[in-house]
Amino acid sequence: SLTVGRLRILQPTLEPPAGSNKLAIPLRWFVTQQGGKWVLSVTLPPGDWAGWTVDPTLTLQPGAADGLDTAIYSEYGTLNYGVSTIIAAGTVDPASYTFRSLVSFDLSSIPSNAAITSALLMLYCQTETVTTDSIVAAHRGLTQWFEGAQNGGAPPAGEDGSTWNLRNANGNVPWAGGAGGGSGSDYAATPTDTQTITERQTFFTWTVTTDVVAWGAGSASNFGWW
């Protein structure tokens, strides 16, 4: 794989037409720099490749300082968790505190004319507070939120940051749907996908193709997922 900053770009493959019994052919990117930008290109081997497609898979895997993620907790309505190393989702009994997490990725590296055929969101379950399986839904964000720079602290004056009570503590900007965000106003009422969390220390995958296609086409703004 080729590592460029916060992106891990897998090598492409030449995929046969649907229904063909031929095997995919591995290819390699050629990396050049033009006008201050890195450009990836691929050269096909000799032959007639009508009906074949080049499958470039892009993996966005932000480090600790990249990407955007935060969590909002009903128990701590005025606190921001933008630099916390974990995010949480669900309800804790018996107090019924609600945890919601928000995550987004910069998709500007996807060409505007790209044909997006599949998009997967992968999250790692570090631990659970219950022993029963939990269903976690990924909802497309509808309003802008702010990661913030606190780890369980109240954002100081002039610092952007989302909390349970406010979409942005800077200026006391409320969530469209009230404290904790609203279904259908701050995040889509219908989940893009759901996943049953069955064990700890395991990756789980949500299919989010429809959202990424909409963001790529410009028919929706990229506010990530709740």
Side-chain angles (χ1 to χ4, degrees), residues 91-115:
T91 301
V92 176
D93 293 325
S96 295
Y97 295 132
T98 299
F99 299 167
R100 289 175 177 158
S101 288
L102 301 88
V103 59
S104 70
F105 300 88
D106 181 1
L107 303 180
S108 60
S109 57
I110 300 178
S112 58
N113 62 345

Short mmCIF file of all heavy atoms in Angstrom, two decimals, residues 91-115:
data_model
loop_
_atom_site.label_atom_id
_atom_site.label_comp_id
_atom_site.label_asym_id
_atom_site.label_seq_id
_atom_site.Cartn_x
_atom_site.Cartn_y
_atom_site.Cartn_z
N THR A 91 -27.21 3.79 25.93
CA THR A 91 -27.84 4.25 27.16
C THR A 91 -27.34 3.40 28.32
O THR A 91 -27.27 2.18 28.21
CB THR A 91 -29.37 4.16 27.08
OG1 THR A 91 -29.82 4.95 25.98
CG2 THR A 91 -30.01 4.67 28.35
N VAL A 92 -26.99 4.06 29.40
CA VAL A 92 -26.48 3.36 30.58
C VAL A 92 -27.60 3.24 31.61
O VAL A 92 -28.19 4.25 32.01
CB VAL A 92 -25.28 4.11 31.19
CG1 VAL A 92 -24.83 3.43 32.47
CG2 VAL A 92 -24.14 4.15 30.19
N ASP A 93 -27.91 2.03 32.02
CA ASP A 93 -28.89 1.80 33.08
C ASP A 93 -28.17 1.70 34.42
O ASP A 93 -27.00 1.33 34.48
CB ASP A 93 -29.67 0.52 32.80
CG ASP A 93 -30.55 0.64 31.55
OD1 ASP A 93 -31.07 1.75 31.34
OD2 ASP A 93 -30.69 -0.34 30.82
N PRO A 94 -28.82 2.00 35.57
CA PRO A 94 -30.24 2.38 35.66
C PRO A 94 -30.48 3.88 35.51
O PRO A 94 -31.62 4.34 35.55
CB PRO A 94 -30.60 1.92 37.07
CG PRO A 94 -29.33 2.12 37.83
CD PRO A 94 -28.21 1.80 36.89
N ALA A 95 -29.41 4.67 35.36
CA ALA A 95 -29.58 6.12 35.33
C ALA A 95 -30.14 6.63 34.01
O ALA A 95 -30.61 7.76 33.92
CB ALA A 95 -28.24 6.81 35.61
N SER A 96 -30.10 5.79 32.96
CA SER A 96 -30.59 6.15 31.64
C SER A 96 -29.87 7.35 31.04
O SER A 96 -30.48 8.19 30.38
CB SER A 96 -32.11 6.41 31.67
OG SER A 96 -32.80 5.22 32.00
N TYR A 97 -28.58 7.44 31.29
CA TYR A 97 -27.78 8.45 30.63
C TYR A 97 -27.58 8.03 29.17
O TYR A 97 -27.32 6.86 28.89
CB TYR A 97 -26.41 8.61 31.30
CG TYR A 97 -26.47 9.13 32.71
CD1 TYR A 97 -25.76 8.49 33.72
CD2 TYR A 97 -27.23 10.25 33.02
CE1 TYR A 97 -25.80 8.97 35.02
CE2 TYR A 97 -27.28 10.73 34.32
CZ TYR A 97 -26.57 10.08 35.32
OH TYR A 97 -26.61 10.56 36.61
N THR A 98 -27.68 8.98 28.26
CA THR A 98 -27.54 8.68 26.84
C THR A 98 -26.20 9.19 26.32
O THR A 98 -25.82 10.33 26.59
CB THR A 98 -28.69 9.31 26.03
OG1 THR A 98 -29.93 8.77 26.49
CG2 THR A 98 -28.53 9.02 24.55
N PHE A 99 -25.51 8.35 25.56
CA PHE A 99 -24.25 8.71 24.92
C PHE A 99 -24.46 8.69 23.41
O PHE A 99 -25.03 7.74 22.87
CB PHE A 99 -23.14 7.69 25.27
CG PHE A 99 -22.82 7.59 26.73
CD1 PHE A 99 -22.05 6.53 27.18
CD2 PHE A 99 -23.28 8.51 27.65
CE1 PHE A 99 -21.72 6.41 28.53
CE2 PHE A 99 -22.98 8.41 28.99
CZ PHE A 99 -22.19 7.36 29.44
N ARG A 100 -23.99 9.73 22.74
CA ARG A 100 -24.03 9.76 21.28
C ARG A 100 -22.67 10.21 20.77
O ARG A 100 -22.05 11.09 21.35
CB ARG A 100 -25.13 10.71 20.77
CG ARG A 100 -26.53 10.19 21.02
CD ARG A 100 -27.59 11.19 20.63
NE ARG A 100 -28.92 10.62 20.81
CZ ARG A 100 -30.03 11.33 20.96
NH1 ARG A 100 -29.99 12.66 20.93
NH2 ARG A 100 -31.19 10.73 21.11
N SER A 101 -22.26 9.61 19.67
CA SER A 101 -20.96 9.96 19.09
C SER A 101 -21.13 10.43 17.67
O SER A 101 -22.05 10.01 16.96
CB SER A 101 -20.02 8.75 19.14
OG SER A 101 -19.62 8.51 20.47
N LEU A 102 -20.22 11.31 17.27
CA LEU A 102 -20.25 11.89 15.93
C LEU A 102 -18.87 11.72 15.31
O LEU A 102 -17.85 11.94 15.97
CB LEU A 102 -20.61 13.37 15.99
CG LEU A 102 -21.97 13.71 16.61
CD1 LEU A 102 -21.85 13.89 18.12
CD2 LEU A 102 -22.53 15.00 16.00
N VAL A 103 -18.85 11.32 14.04
CA VAL A 103 -17.58 11.09 13.35
C VAL A 103 -17.73 11.50 11.89
O VAL A 103 -18.80 11.32 11.29
CB VAL A 103 -17.15 9.62 13.46
CG1 VAL A 103 -18.19 8.69 12.86
CG2 VAL A 103 -15.79 9.40 12.83
N SER A 104 -16.68 12.10 11.32
CA SER A 104 -16.72 12.45 9.91
C SER A 104 -15.33 12.36 9.31
O SER A 104 -14.32 12.40 10.03
CB SER A 104 -17.30 13.87 9.70
OG SER A 104 -16.39 14.85 10.15
N PHE A 105 -15.29 12.26 7.98
CA PHE A 105 -14.04 12.12 7.25
C PHE A 105 -14.01 13.16 6.12
O PHE A 105 -15.04 13.47 5.52
CB PHE A 105 -13.91 10.73 6.63
CG PHE A 105 -13.92 9.62 7.65
CD1 PHE A 105 -15.11 9.06 8.07
CD2 PHE A 105 -12.74 9.14 8.19
CE1 PHE A 105 -15.13 8.04 9.00
CE2 PHE A 105 -12.74 8.12 9.13
CZ PHE A 105 -13.94 7.57 9.54
N ASP A 106 -12.82 13.65 5.82
CA ASP A 106 -12.63 14.56 4.70
C ASP A 106 -12.62 13.74 3.41
O ASP A 106 -11.72 12.92 3.19
CB ASP A 106 -11.31 15.31 4.87
CG ASP A 106 -11.05 16.30 3.75
OD1 ASP A 106 -11.89 16.43 2.84
OD2 ASP A 106 -9.97 16.95 3.77
N LEU A 107 -13.61 13.96 2.57
CA LEU A 107 -13.74 13.19 1.33
C LEU A 107 -13.32 13.99 0.10
O LEU A 107 -13.61 13.59 -1.02
CB LEU A 107 -15.18 12.70 1.17
CG LEU A 107 -15.74 11.86 2.32
CD1 LEU A 107 -17.18 11.46 2.03
CD2 LEU A 107 -14.88 10.63 2.56
N SER A 108 -12.63 15.11 0.32
CA SER A 108 -12.28 15.98 -0.81
C SER A 108 -11.29 15.31 -1.76
O SER A 108 -11.12 15.77 -2.90
CB SER A 108 -11.70 17.30 -0.30
OG SER A 108 -10.53 17.08 0.48
N SER A 109 -10.62 14.24 -1.33
CA SER A 109 -9.66 13.57 -2.20
C SER A 109 -10.35 12.69 -3.24
O SER A 109 -9.71 12.22 -4.18
CB SER A 109 -8.71 12.71 -1.36
OG SER A 109 -9.42 11.78 -0.58
N ILE A 110 -11.66 12.48 -3.09
CA ILE A 110 -12.39 11.69 -4.09
C ILE A 110 -12.70 12.59 -5.29
O ILE A 110 -13.31 13.65 -5.13
CB ILE A 110 -13.70 11.13 -3.50
CG1 ILE A 110 -13.40 10.21 -2.31
CG2 ILE A 110 -14.48 10.38 -4.56
CD1 ILE A 110 -14.63 9.66 -1.65
N PRO A 111 -12.29 12.23 -6.49
CA PRO A 111 -12.56 13.07 -7.67
C PRO A 111 -14.05 13.30 -7.85
O PRO A 111 -14.88 12.44 -7.54
CB PRO A 111 -11.98 12.25 -8.84
CG PRO A 111 -10.98 11.33 -8.20
CD PRO A 111 -11.53 11.01 -6.84
N SER A 112 -14.40 14.48 -8.37
CA SER A 112 -15.82 14.83 -8.53
C SER A 112 -16.53 13.93 -9.53
O SER A 112 -17.75 13.78 -9.48
CB SER A 112 -15.94 16.30 -8.98
OG SER A 112 -15.24 16.50 -10.20
N ASN A 113 -15.78 13.33 -10.45
CA ASN A 113 -16.39 12.46 -11.46
C ASN A 113 -16.25 10.98 -11.11
O ASN A 113 -16.50 10.11 -11.93
CB ASN A 113 -15.78 12.72 -12.83
CG ASN A 113 -14.28 12.42 -12.87
OD1 ASN A 113 -13.65 12.29 -11.82
ND2 ASN A 113 -13.72 12.35 -14.06
N ALA A 114 -15.87 10.69 -9.86
CA ALA A 114 -15.70 9.29 -9.46
C ALA A 114 -17.06 8.59 -9.38
O ALA A 114 -18.05 9.18 -8.94
CB ALA A 114 -15.00 9.22 -8.11
N ALA A 115 -17.08 7.34 -9.79
CA ALA A 115 -18.27 6.51 -9.64
C ALA A 115 -18.12 5.73 -8.33
O ALA A 115 -17.36 4.78 -8.26
CB ALA A 115 -18.42 5.57 -10.82
#
